[in-house]
Amino acid sequence: MPAPDEPPRRYHRPAPLFFEPPAGQADEEHFFALETITDPHELLGRATELAVAFQAAADRSVEFQAIAAAQLADPRRFDSLPAAAIADRAGWTEDYALKMIEYGRELQRRRS
């Protein structure tokens, strides 16, 4: 926590990458510096933390996909899309799109 007379810290998002790295660059894998951890206990702990965080992020992303699918399929919208069109946009099967639409509607009901 900063001292009372210190200005608050500002955190910046990384700049988006708008270019391809040079072809001659070595393609070393750097995954959250896990390759630099030599202690197996520490490696297991850190890798587990990352796996849990990524799974939570993936689960949350699926919820947002479902909500968006339900919104796009809402018949009250003038630009409502059929499940087949939503499936095409998301790279799903139509059956999966129907399940996601229903899941999204359920999530919307819970939030209201």
Side-chain angles (χ1 to χ4, degrees), residues 75-107:
R76 296 172 294 181
R77 291 176 58 111
F78 76 94
D79 59 348
S80 178
L81 295 175
I86 294 169
D88 187 50
R89 286 183 178 210
W92 300 332
T93 65
E94 190 172 347
D95 287 341
Y96 187 74
L98 290 168
K99 290 177 183 179
M100 288 294 279
I101 291 166
E102 186 52 41
Y103 179 49
R105 288 177 179 156
E106 177 61 33
L107 291 171

Side-chain angles (χ1 to χ4, degrees), residues 10-80:
R10 290 198 174 144
Y11 296 97
H12 300 281
R13 289 183 173 189
L17 185 61
F18 291 115
F19 60 90
E20 290 291 323
Q25 226 174 4
D27 190 19
E28 296 179 28
E29 184 176 334
H30 297 286
F31 190 74
F32 294 90
L34 291 179
E35 68 281 348
T36 64
I37 299 174
T38 57
D39 177 26
H41 296 284
E42 184 182 349
L43 179 59
L44 178 61
R46 181 66 179 135
T48 302
E49 288 172 356
L50 285 169
V52 169
F54 283 127
Q55 185 59 54
D59 292 344
R60 190 76 175 121
S61 294
V62 168
E63 289 178 359
F64 279 105
Q65 282 182 309
I67 290 168
Q71 290 171 344
L72 289 170
D74 188 342
R76 296 172 294 181
R77 291 176 58 111
F78 76 94
D79 59 348
S80 178

